[in-house]
Amino acid sequence: MSQLHLIDHPMIQHKLTIMRKKETGSKDFRILLREISLLMGYEITRDLPLDDVEIETPICKMTAKKVSGRKLAIVPILRAGLGMVEGLQTLVPVAKVGHIGLYRNEETHNPVVYYCKLPEDISQRLVIVTDPMLATGGSSCDALSMLKERGCNNIRLMCLVAAPEGIARVQREHPDVDIYVASVDECLNKDAYIVPGLGDAGDRIFGTK
Ligand code: PRP
Ligand code: URA
């Protein structure tokens, strides 16, 4: 069974509260999402293995630590997942970035794939999939399946706000994928929006409607 990690550091909760407010505009929404992503990334990478490396400081030689060979890839689910990339890249500048384009059909709420471009060696990387919203779980589950079809077997899912329904679906369909969230909200409404949520993340990031 995949583990659910609730990253509820006070600074993350505070920033998320501002994001949720309906009067918060796109510019502040984007900045806050980037900041929270960096903070969440710190926790997501907490257990990365380290190797010893011999270096020389201006004073003497020493055995120091470096993150071991395992390389990282960040894979945002378009569009809203893009808003979480820069924060993670600040933390891991050498990470490669793939893109999976999905949108939800407004009537069925089922995801529709329109784009997929991934690093060639994606199967050898630790993949962090980003999407601020985990609602029904349809988009995340499809993105995870697409990655697995390409050989990925080491994937983590990073979301900002999740509904219990979406968490349950990912855990059922992808029991090997750990989920990292800043909040587990109450439920979904009849339009499959998260309650209380923060509205349409893509629209709020990019100023569309
Ligand atoms: C939103 C969100 C997720 C998806 C979550 O994307 O960014 O990808 O919905 O819902 P689900 O868990 O029920 O699949 P949307 O389809 O609105 O596309 P966008 O990011 O391009 O706005
Ligand atoms: N997608 C969003 O952007 N928000 C929701 O609440 C659900 C799906």
Side-chain angles (χ1 to χ4, degrees), residues 80 104 131 133-136 188 191-195 197-203:
R104 293 200 312 179
D131 193 332
M133 309 309 278
L134 180 59
T136 66
L188 297 176
D191 298 318
Y193 272 80
I194 299 174
V195 180
L198 47 73
D200 189 307
D203 284 347

mmCIF file of all heavy atoms in Angstrom, residues 80 104 131 133-136 188 191-195 197-203, ligand 2:
data_model
loop_
_atom_site.group_PDB
_atom_site.id
_atom_site.type_symbol
_atom_site.label_atom_id
_atom_site.label_comp_id
_atom_site.label_asym_id
_atom_site.label_seq_id
_atom_site.Cartn_x
_atom_site.Cartn_y
_atom_site.Cartn_z
ATOM 1 N N ALA A 80 -1.731 22.661 -14.729
ATOM 2 C CA ALA A 80 -1.485 23.197 -13.399
ATOM 3 C C ALA A 80 -0.205 22.673 -12.742
ATOM 4 O O ALA A 80 0.434 23.389 -11.969
ATOM 5 C CB ALA A 80 -2.697 22.917 -12.502
ATOM 6 N N ARG A 104 -9.426 17.408 -17.969
ATOM 7 C CA ARG A 104 -10.623 16.647 -17.596
ATOM 8 C C ARG A 104 -11.774 17.041 -18.502
ATOM 9 O O ARG A 104 -12.060 18.216 -18.679
ATOM 10 C CB ARG A 104 -11.042 16.959 -16.154
ATOM 11 C CG ARG A 104 -10.088 16.498 -15.119
ATOM 12 C CD ARG A 104 -10.727 16.377 -13.754
ATOM 13 N NE ARG A 104 -11.523 17.505 -13.323
ATOM 14 C CZ ARG A 104 -12.175 17.557 -12.169
ATOM 15 N NH1 ARG A 104 -12.141 16.515 -11.360
ATOM 16 N NH2 ARG A 104 -12.849 18.611 -11.822
ATOM 17 N N ASP A 131 1.121 17.781 -9.568
ATOM 18 C CA ASP A 131 -0.197 18.321 -9.930
ATOM 19 C C ASP A 131 -0.804 18.901 -8.654
ATOM 20 O O ASP A 131 -0.939 18.171 -7.666
ATOM 21 C CB ASP A 131 -1.104 17.207 -10.487
ATOM 22 C CG ASP A 131 -2.347 17.787 -11.156
ATOM 23 O OD1 ASP A 131 -2.788 18.884 -10.759
ATOM 24 O OD2 ASP A 131 -2.875 17.134 -12.075
ATOM 25 N N MET A 133 -3.755 19.555 -7.804
ATOM 26 C CA MET A 133 -5.071 19.056 -7.401
ATOM 27 C C MET A 133 -5.208 17.553 -7.645
ATOM 28 O O MET A 133 -5.044 17.071 -8.769
ATOM 29 C CB MET A 133 -6.182 19.781 -8.179
ATOM 30 C CG MET A 133 -6.075 21.301 -8.150
ATOM 31 S SD MET A 133 -5.887 21.995 -6.505
ATOM 32 C CE MET A 133 -7.568 22.018 -5.950
ATOM 33 N N LEU A 134 -5.540 16.822 -6.587
ATOM 34 C CA LEU A 134 -5.871 15.399 -6.712
ATOM 35 C C LEU A 134 -7.345 15.285 -6.332
ATOM 36 O O LEU A 134 -7.696 15.271 -5.154
ATOM 37 C CB LEU A 134 -4.984 14.591 -5.751
ATOM 38 C CG LEU A 134 -5.172 13.082 -5.712
ATOM 39 C CD1 LEU A 134 -4.933 12.455 -7.076
ATOM 40 C CD2 LEU A 134 -4.235 12.457 -4.679
ATOM 41 N N ALA A 135 -8.208 15.271 -7.349
ATOM 42 C CA ALA A 135 -9.655 15.311 -7.103
ATOM 43 C C ALA A 135 -10.240 13.899 -7.184
ATOM 44 O O ALA A 135 -10.241 13.166 -6.196
ATOM 45 C CB ALA A 135 -10.311 16.281 -8.078
ATOM 46 N N THR A 136 -10.706 13.482 -8.380
ATOM 47 C CA THR A 136 -11.165 12.088 -8.504
ATOM 48 C C THR A 136 -9.984 11.129 -8.548
ATOM 49 O O THR A 136 -10.134 9.924 -8.336
ATOM 50 C CB THR A 136 -11.975 11.876 -9.799
ATOM 51 O OG1 THR A 136 -11.091 12.049 -10.927
ATOM 52 C CG2 THR A 136 -13.136 12.844 -9.918
ATOM 53 N N LEU A 188 -15.508 15.828 -2.620
ATOM 54 C CA LEU A 188 -15.722 16.419 -3.950
ATOM 55 C C LEU A 188 -17.158 16.925 -4.031
ATOM 56 O O LEU A 188 -18.060 16.325 -3.436
ATOM 57 C CB LEU A 188 -15.509 15.367 -5.036
ATOM 58 C CG LEU A 188 -14.106 14.761 -5.153
ATOM 59 C CD1 LEU A 188 -14.106 13.665 -6.218
ATOM 60 C CD2 LEU A 188 -13.079 15.830 -5.500
ATOM 61 N N ASP A 191 -19.576 18.631 -9.273
ATOM 62 C CA ASP A 191 -18.760 18.860 -10.470
ATOM 63 C C ASP A 191 -17.355 18.283 -10.324
ATOM 64 O O ASP A 191 -16.459 18.601 -11.104
ATOM 65 C CB ASP A 191 -18.652 20.371 -10.748
ATOM 66 C CG ASP A 191 -20.018 20.991 -11.016
ATOM 67 O OD1 ASP A 191 -20.806 20.356 -11.741
ATOM 68 O OD2 ASP A 191 -20.296 22.092 -10.482
ATOM 69 N N ALA A 192 -17.164 17.478 -9.299
ATOM 70 C CA ALA A 192 -15.862 16.856 -9.012
ATOM 71 C C ALA A 192 -14.782 17.882 -8.694
ATOM 72 O O ALA A 192 -13.602 17.673 -8.982
ATOM 73 C CB ALA A 192 -15.434 15.924 -10.145
ATOM 74 N N TYR A 193 -15.180 18.994 -8.094
ATOM 75 C CA TYR A 193 -14.214 19.959 -7.555
ATOM 76 C C TYR A 193 -13.988 19.660 -6.078
ATOM 77 O O TYR A 193 -14.911 19.207 -5.374
ATOM 78 C CB TYR A 193 -14.712 21.398 -7.733
ATOM 79 C CG TYR A 193 -14.288 21.963 -9.073
ATOM 80 C CD1 TYR A 193 -14.989 21.646 -10.231
ATOM 81 C CD2 TYR A 193 -13.158 22.760 -9.178
ATOM 82 C CE1 TYR A 193 -14.592 22.118 -11.462
ATOM 83 C CE2 TYR A 193 -12.742 23.240 -10.407
ATOM 84 C CZ TYR A 193 -13.462 22.914 -11.547
ATOM 85 O OH TYR A 193 -13.041 23.377 -12.762
ATOM 86 N N ILE A 194 -12.771 19.936 -5.628
ATOM 87 C CA ILE A 194 -12.434 19.660 -4.228
ATOM 88 C C ILE A 194 -13.077 20.721 -3.326
ATOM 89 O O ILE A 194 -13.028 21.919 -3.624
ATOM 90 C CB ILE A 194 -10.906 19.639 -4.038
ATOM 91 C CG1 ILE A 194 -10.276 18.540 -4.905
ATOM 92 C CG2 ILE A 194 -10.551 19.430 -2.569
ATOM 93 C CD1 ILE A 194 -8.755 18.513 -4.906
ATOM 94 N N VAL A 195 -13.674 20.252 -2.221
ATOM 95 C CA VAL A 195 -14.321 21.117 -1.222
ATOM 96 C C VAL A 195 -13.548 21.019 0.102
ATOM 97 O O VAL A 195 -13.297 19.890 0.563
ATOM 98 C CB VAL A 195 -15.786 20.653 -0.981
ATOM 99 C CG1 VAL A 195 -16.456 21.553 0.049
ATOM 100 C CG2 VAL A 195 -16.578 20.637 -2.286
ATOM 101 N N GLY A 197 -11.160 23.177 -1.059
ATOM 102 C CA GLY A 197 -10.287 23.332 -2.212
ATOM 103 C C GLY A 197 -9.762 24.732 -2.414
ATOM 104 O O GLY A 197 -9.620 25.525 -1.464
ATOM 105 N N LEU A 198 -9.488 25.047 -3.663
ATOM 106 C CA LEU A 198 -9.052 26.406 -4.013
ATOM 107 C C LEU A 198 -9.546 26.806 -5.393
ATOM 108 O O LEU A 198 -9.063 27.761 -5.988
ATOM 109 C CB LEU A 198 -7.519 26.546 -3.897
ATOM 110 C CG LEU A 198 -6.627 25.469 -4.524
ATOM 111 C CD1 LEU A 198 -6.609 25.561 -6.024
ATOM 112 C CD2 LEU A 198 -5.215 25.579 -3.966
ATOM 113 N N GLY A 199 -10.518 26.055 -5.895
ATOM 114 C CA GLY A 199 -11.062 26.352 -7.218
ATOM 115 C C GLY A 199 -10.287 25.637 -8.301
ATOM 116 O O GLY A 199 -9.709 24.574 -8.070
ATOM 117 N N ASP A 200 -10.282 26.224 -9.493
ATOM 118 C CA ASP A 200 -9.589 25.625 -10.636
ATOM 119 C C ASP A 200 -8.142 26.098 -10.642
ATOM 120 O O ASP A 200 -7.857 27.257 -10.939
ATOM 121 C CB ASP A 200 -10.294 26.030 -11.937
ATOM 122 C CG ASP A 200 -9.745 25.263 -13.126
ATOM 123 O OD1 ASP A 200 -8.513 25.277 -13.329
ATOM 124 O OD2 ASP A 200 -10.532 24.633 -13.851
ATOM 125 N N ALA A 201 -7.239 25.183 -10.307
ATOM 126 C CA ALA A 201 -5.836 25.570 -10.130
ATOM 127 C C ALA A 201 -5.232 26.120 -11.427
ATOM 128 O O ALA A 201 -4.526 27.137 -11.407
ATOM 129 C CB ALA A 201 -5.034 24.375 -9.631
ATOM 130 N N GLY A 202 -5.513 25.440 -12.551
ATOM 131 C CA GLY A 202 -4.951 25.896 -13.834
ATOM 132 C C GLY A 202 -5.398 27.311 -14.162
ATOM 133 O O GLY A 202 -4.601 28.164 -14.552
ATOM 134 N N ASP A 203 -6.675 27.567 -13.995
ATOM 135 C CA ASP A 203 -7.202 28.913 -14.282
ATOM 136 C C ASP A 203 -6.578 29.956 -13.363
ATOM 137 O O ASP A 203 -6.265 31.070 -13.788
ATOM 138 C CB ASP A 203 -8.727 28.931 -14.123
ATOM 139 C CG ASP A 203 -9.429 28.276 -15.308
ATOM 140 O OD1 ASP A 203 -8.765 28.040 -16.335
ATOM 141 O OD2 ASP A 203 -10.647 28.016 -15.202
HETATM 142 N N1 URA B 2 -9.212 20.491 -10.726
HETATM 143 C C1 URA B 2 -9.009 21.686 -10.108
HETATM 144 O O1 URA B 2 -8.279 22.541 -10.627
HETATM 145 N N2 URA B 2 -9.647 21.911 -8.954
HETATM 146 C C2 URA B 2 -10.447 21.002 -8.364
HETATM 147 O O2 URA B 2 -10.988 21.259 -7.284
HETATM 148 C C3 URA B 2 -10.627 19.768 -9.021
HETATM 149 C C4 URA B 2 -10.002 19.536 -10.187
#
